[in-house]
Amino acid sequence: MSEPRITVALSTGFLKALNQLPEKARGKVAAFVSKFRDNPRSPGLNYERIEGGKDPLIRSIRVDQDIRCILRAPEQGDTFVLLWIDKHDDAYNWARRKTCHVNRVSGALQIVDVEAAETAVGDASATAGTKGITAAPSDVTLPERQPTAEAVSLFAHCGDDQLMLLGVPEALLPAVRAVQSEEALARLIEWVPQDCVDGLILLAEGKPIEAVIEELERQRPAHIDPEDVATALATPESQAEFLVITDDDELEAMLSAPLEQWRVFLHPSQRRLVNRDWNGPVRVLGGAGTGKTVVAMHRARWLANRLLASGAPGQVLFTTFTRNLATDIRSNLAKICSLEELRRIEVIHLDGWVMTFLKNQGLQVRVFNEEARDACWSLAMDVADPALGLEERFYREEWKDVVLANGCRSRDDYLAARRIGRGTRLSKQQRALIWPVFDALRAEFRQRGLWEPEEAKTAAADLLRNAGQGGRYVAVVVDEAQDLDVASFSLIRVLAGEPHPNDLFIVGDPHQRIYGKPIVLGRCGIDVRGRSRKLRINYRTTEETRAWATAVLEGVDFDDLDGGNDSTSDYRSLLHGEKPVLRGFDDPADEQRFLQDALSQLCQGDGNLASTCVTLRTKKARDRVAKGLEKAGFLVRLIEANEADDPSDPALRLATMHRVKGLEFDQVFIPELTADQMPYRVELNRRPDQVSRELFEQQERSLLHVAATRAKKRVVVTYSGKPSSFLSPGRADFDRDFARGHEALDGRVNNHLLTLNRIPDPDGDLYDWVVFAHTINGYEVAGSFEACADLANNPSSAETLTQLRCALFFKARADRHSGGFGGGEEEIRGLLRRIRKKVQAGELD
């Protein structure tokens, strides 16, 4: 009789906690897991129950003298789930609050912290009438939600089983039903399983529960056994949180070094996009940080794997707008694909593919440069009719926005072309007089072997069609679709051949459009009806940063790549953290000193600045700031347009806002955000009419949105003199108050809402300790003058969490009055350590 098959799974939390352990400890954990997987019921493993725990099946096993592994171990059965790994006390504190059960409706395995979820909802509900959750500075003041006596749950119209089908654990139904505001929901989604976040967001937007279930493609399994954890682990929802170990080599690689979560775990909404057959082109929208590129890469791998499994010939083309994005994608694909899979995926930016193809066809093709372009325009303008009274700038924009955008090859094409978005009206007679300039320009280009990108793509598509060579690729995956034009998608349609299952997979975010103009896929021969999906959960930035960056776009309408509109109202972040910092200065030298001081403190805390980026609007500004930082002693690395970043380089990164597209950093500094720099005054003044200026301003807003959403932890925005118009003029006084002493912080954080990621690392950067200190008002909380004085003069007397936070508050006030960092650094670090310890232990008095 064969031995029963043993299943061992790891949770995302286990791997994240493992990454936080020292390298030596990780080695011990790897040896432990290997031994455990061989025989989970070995007599040498001492399973301990969690005293005071909420789930009797959650146990502890000793790894060494200090480290404990927390797992779900069944009384009977052969499926074990490793949930957490940490030092003894921290591991037990984590385990006491958690439960791990199979959802009786959705069939997914879920880890739940009921107490934290209920506390988050209760605290958010208590303050919902005073201000919104989005307290970050922005150019738009969000409307306050006023409390009413008749406030009802946002989910009152939903049945229990309907909510559970969307992924809400049964134990959290009371907490979910207690949500009466967007503020409470924003706090709750930090604590619920990820697979129910999409559904809660859509329901809060007012969509009927039946429509949400249908949109998210949730189906109730015919039979669910709450004790059958092995079956539960096979659901898409569980696969977003748990990894079943099947390969020893893969396990060893995972445990031996920190693991990037995206390589293994996909949210259920992402997995449903990747691992399936589609009956035609798919369009996926999603805001910054929602994992669009991750989904596209996993989709390319899935397609390549299908080709290998079937033995079919052919390749998958993965293309995007810029060379540097293609470089980054190629590097990341190598992290998730086998060599065989990589051979089936060609990664190249579309312009690069076109240039190579045309040269192989024997055409003279040269790379454009501004000098050659200007020379051609100068000759073409010689035939312009002066009676029209139009400047060269107008002709250039008409050429780009009408002739190239519509693929006009002749005078008749131009006369019939749509001029949507052009501010200057033209009659057909005027157009006829304008066309000779474009004819002459095209002739000058061809004589020099120059091709506009749009024309080159059109020529490539024509050659492929005429030679019967359409369908050169089995499938095409497109990233950053919002920046591609009509000619690009028309070519992509030809490259993928006639419409067929799994032919096109297109991802993008119109809110991040920093190059092109709106397009309609349907007019390019790409029909995505019934196959349009959206990613709504931001995994990279905090909710505070997301809200600020999204507010920059407030009041501007964005398309959905197919003729409709795309809203940001159903877009949320799972993470919470610090508010973006805005600081204004009268003198540029003061701004420069602030930047250098802030970077110095970061470097002291982290050891290097590899995860920090300073990004500016122009290359000239970037180079000037880089020179100043080098002179101040900083090691800097310029991220150029056509090269990939090197993660092993410990230097501070500097890049233009355009170059940081597709990258991410812990800290992002955006200095010199003045009225001249954004919107970029030089370019704005060249625009010939109001419509053109408004389009440029929209692109500039999107550019600032892109730059801010590169930050995983914190964004710092500074300016000297007149601020950018994207920062409301009414914010100027706020900014200066903030710079003087952080007094503009209006958000207080209840003890029960404190999480470790809100508390500055006492062994790291102390730059934000003042911000954290002001999340409580010590004058109000401590009470009498004597109590305030005692905590201020003798911080060691503080015993409770509230007293410790008040003591830190008074240290911050003393720091302000001393005009800077007034000493007592070790005392501050000691208070932060004690505060973290109280939160870890759940001692929240």
Side-chain angles (χ1 to χ4, degrees), residues 364-435:
Q364 181 186 1
V365 181
R366 289 175 52 201
V367 176
F368 252 119
N369 62 65
E370 288 307 310
E371 184 178 344
R373 189 190 299 272
D374 290 345
C376 291
W377 269 106
S378 179
L379 292 169
M381 287 300 295
D382 287 342
V383 303
D385 188 336
L388 291 171
L390 298 173
E391 297 179 353
E392 181 178 324
R393 186 71 186 180
F394 173 85
Y395 281 92
R396 288 194 181 219
E397 291 207 352
E398 187 78 358
W399 166 256
K400 179 177 176 59
D401 295 342
V402 180
V403 177
L404 295 179
N406 290 281
C408 299
R409 308 187 193 202
S410 67
R411 176 176 172 272
D412 289 342
D413 288 343
Y414 177 55
L415 294 179
R418 296 152 57 103
R419 298 184 68 253
I420 295 175
R422 299 293 286 141
T424 304
R425 305 185 73 170
L426 296 175
S427 66
K428 285 200 173 184
Q429 290 77 12
Q430 288 173 311
R431 290 205 214 186
L433 293 173
I434 287 171
W435 179 255

Side-chain angles (χ1 to χ4, degrees), residues 20 99 301 423 545 580 678 704:
Q20 299 303 311
T99 64
R301 180 193 183 192
T545 294
M678 183 155 277
L704 179 55

